[in-house]
Amino acid sequence: MSPKQQRGEATVEQLLDAALRVYAESGEQGLTVAALTRASGVSLGSLYHHFGSVDGLMNALLTRWLGRLLGELAAALEHTRTAHTGIRALVRAYLNFVQEHREAALLLHSSYADRQGMADGKRLRDAQEARLSPLAQWADRYVDSGDLAPLPAPLLESLILGPVVGVARRWLSGIEDVDLDRAALVLPDRIWLSVSAERK
């Protein structure tokens, strides 16, 4: 990699890190060009050169952290041996991510991210397809073996991750009636009841 490319990569990293800090400190209303260039020490021209706009920078930031979250979920599944233990691993990995990366989790669970997802959902989904495939393959394997209910993949994903996302959002909002460690113990068995192919 040439020195120019290295400088370009360093500038991108500075801007992404600064954007997350600005968002965490000031929310969406604080995401101004002036705040981003001040926090990053990067020029206005460089911001536009690398990302095109503030929205372009924030989309890159969302894509980066969504990729990291999905990577951690996929890694959590690697050492599981049953569908039930896989669900337990997914819940723990998701809630651990939220606790360890609170600023990024705030962004990923924000109304800003929701609006971007609605406006540009297909592009974001396509960008994450390679990272989503281990989760889809894991679910398909256990649907084929008869352990998970034979539901379309989007419904299984919603039943498994929907309750976890809901608890994460509640915790991130500052409501103090949610204990993520307790949720990590309770949710997997409750989720299992909703997606297991077993009939009670």
Side-chain angles (χ1 to χ4, degrees):
M1 183 183 301
S2 72
K4 184 177 179 181
Q5 289 171 316
Q6 289 175 344
R7 285 193 303 275
E9 282 197 6
T11 299
V12 165
E13 293 298 316
Q14 281 176 258
L15 284 163
L16 289 168
D17 291 344
L20 185 59
R21 283 196 313 276
V22 169
Y23 179 83
E25 291 167 7
S26 308
E28 188 178 342
Q29 65 279 4
L31 292 173
T32 64
V33 170
L36 291 166
T37 54
R38 186 170 51 250
S40 66
V42 170
S43 71
L44 175 62
S46 289
L47 188 156
Y48 283 111
H49 170 73
H50 290 288
F51 295 104
S53 65
V54 172
D55 276 343
L57 171 59
M58 294 308 293
N59 282 338
L61 187 62
L62 281 167
T63 300
R64 163 189 269 197
W65 280 102
L66 180 58
R68 288 185 182 179
L69 171 58
L70 292 173
E72 290 194 18
L73 296 181
L77 291 174
E78 288 178 4
H79 303 294
T80 62
R81 296 179 176 220
T82 67
H84 196 167
T85 59
I87 289 169
R88 187 173 294 119
L90 285 171
V91 171
R92 285 184 181 155
Y94 197 108
L95 296 179
N96 284 342
F97 177 92
V98 167
Q99 286 180 297
E100 291 172 11
H101 305 287
R102 190 174 193 281
E103 291 180 348
L106 277 168
L107 176 63
L108 289 175
H109 294 84
S110 68
S111 58
Y112 180 87
D114 289 343
R115 286 195 310 278
Q116 292 304 114
M118 294 293 285
D120 205 10
K122 185 178 185 319
R123 185 195 62 78
L124 286 171
R125 190 84 177 181
D126 289 348
Q128 299 304 328
E129 188 173 326
R131 291 187 179 101
L132 280 168
S133 63
L135 304 182
Q137 290 168 2
W138 170 84
D140 287 346
R141 183 168 69 247
Y142 287 111
V143 167
D144 292 345
S145 70
D147 294 309
L148 289 177
L151 297 169
L155 290 183
L156 274 176
E157 181 184 323
S158 295
L159 286 168
I160 293 169
L161 292 179
V164 188
V165 171
V167 166
R169 283 182 186 270
R170 190 173 181 96
W171 183 80
L172 288 164
S173 73
I175 297 174
E176 296 183 5
D177 62 352
V178 175
D179 179 333
L180 292 191
D181 293 328
R182 173 110 175 103
L185 293 173
V186 172
L187 283 177
D189 290 338
R190 297 296 176 171
I191 292 168
W192 174 248
L193 291 175
S194 70
V195 297
S196 170
E198 298 172 16
R199 295 289 175 258
K200 304 295 180 194

